[in-house]
Amino acid sequence: MVATPKPVSSVEFWYEFASTYSYLSAMRIEAAAAEAGVAITWRPFLLGPIFAGQGWSTSPFNLYPAKGRYMWRDMERSAAAMGLPFRRPDPFPQNTLLAARLALIGAQEGWVAPFSRAVYTAEFGEGRDVSKAETLVPLLDGLGLAGQQLVARARADEAIKNRLKIVTEDAQRHGIFGAPSFVTADGELFWGNDRLDDALAWAAGKHGGAAARR
């Protein structure tokens, strides 16, 4: 008798390329998810419209200097603990519109994860400006993709532009207010790199709530 495969639990990984802590999550989420037996859906979006809705014109790490100083030092510690390179990019936050559009193409075509890691490594590992096509094209080429053609498509394709708007609106409907955020199949929201493991455990049913006893 052939056993029926157990359904795979899933988590949506909502991330913004300008987000420092999303860098840490992006670099560890796939290994952590595989260990937990959870599938990951990469969901790039833009925080700018969400921040604007709260009356913020820039990152809260810029608006509140003490919080910003803490974050940069915490990033140095956390990246070192994970064995990741870290360099503060200038400017911060960066314009990530083009990178997000490219990631949405990647989500359709199967290369969103390696592309997203490459962008984060360039931005927060090397301090490069990922708003520029001259930064992004070599990253795409390095993945065996047609960098120039994809950048041109991301700039001109109205469907991709509209898709990014829709995805960002979806984030707002989920109640997402920052990145990284993780949404489980049953709608639980977890915010922050330090909640990634909790999100995976919840998705895998390894928590003490009522859902785990059903």
Side-chain angles (χ1 to χ4, degrees):
M1 181 177 179
V2 178
T4 301
K6 182 180 178 181
V8 177
S9 301
S10 62
V11 166
E12 292 184 340
F13 170 34
W14 291 82
Y15 61 101
E16 148 77 79
F17 281 118
S19 163
T20 52
Y21 288 105
S22 292
Y23 166 47
L24 303 180
S25 291
M27 304 309 282
R28 72 186 186 97
I29 192 169
E30 288 195 325
E35 184 175 350
V38 174
I40 296 298
T41 300
W42 293 67
R43 300 297 304 271
F45 74 112
L46 295 178
L47 269 174
I50 294 174
F51 283 171
Q54 301 179 61
W56 296 347
S57 60
T58 185
S59 166
F61 294 125
N62 288 344
L63 293 173
Y64 304 102
K67 187 173 185 177
R69 287 191 296 271
Y70 174 84
M71 180 275 292
W72 290 118
R73 180 58 187 140
D74 189 49
M75 282 294 300
E76 290 174 345
R77 292 190 301 251
S78 299
M82 292 176 62
L84 294 174
F86 178 72
R87 183 174 176 182
R88 180 173 175 172
D90 184 22
F92 175 83
Q94 297 195 359
N95 183 331
T96 59
L97 177 64
L98 180 57
R101 288 178 183 172
L102 287 165
L104 286 181
I105 297 173
Q108 294 174 342
E109 299 183 355
W111 43 266
V112 63
F115 172 71
S116 297
R117 287 192 295 268
V119 172
Y120 278 123
T121 298
E123 183 180 13
F124 293 114
E126 301 167 358
R128 298 164 63 192
D129 188 348
V130 297
S131 71
K132 298 179 178 179
E134 52 262 42
T135 300
L136 298 173
V137 168
L139 301 182
L140 293 162
D141 290 342
L143 297 174
L145 303 167
Q148 292 284 4
Q149 294 178 19
L150 284 165
V151 165
R153 178 181 168 192
R155 284 174 165 166
D157 191 327
E158 292 299 324
I160 293 298
K161 294 178 184 180
N162 290 332
R163 177 61 182 155
L164 183 55
K165 293 177 183 177
I166 291 169
V167 167
T168 299
E169 290 169 357
D170 285 345
Q172 292 173 302
R173 281 192 286 270
H174 279 300
I176 291 171
F177 55 88
S181 289
F182 313 96
V183 180
T184 61
D186 60 353
E188 288 290 330
L189 172 64
F190 297 81
W191 170 57
N193 175 61
D194 59 347
R195 291 296 180 265
L196 169 55
D197 296 322
D198 291 346
L200 295 174
W202 185 280
K206 298 175 182 178
H207 58 85
R213 298 192 291 272
R214 290 184 187 136

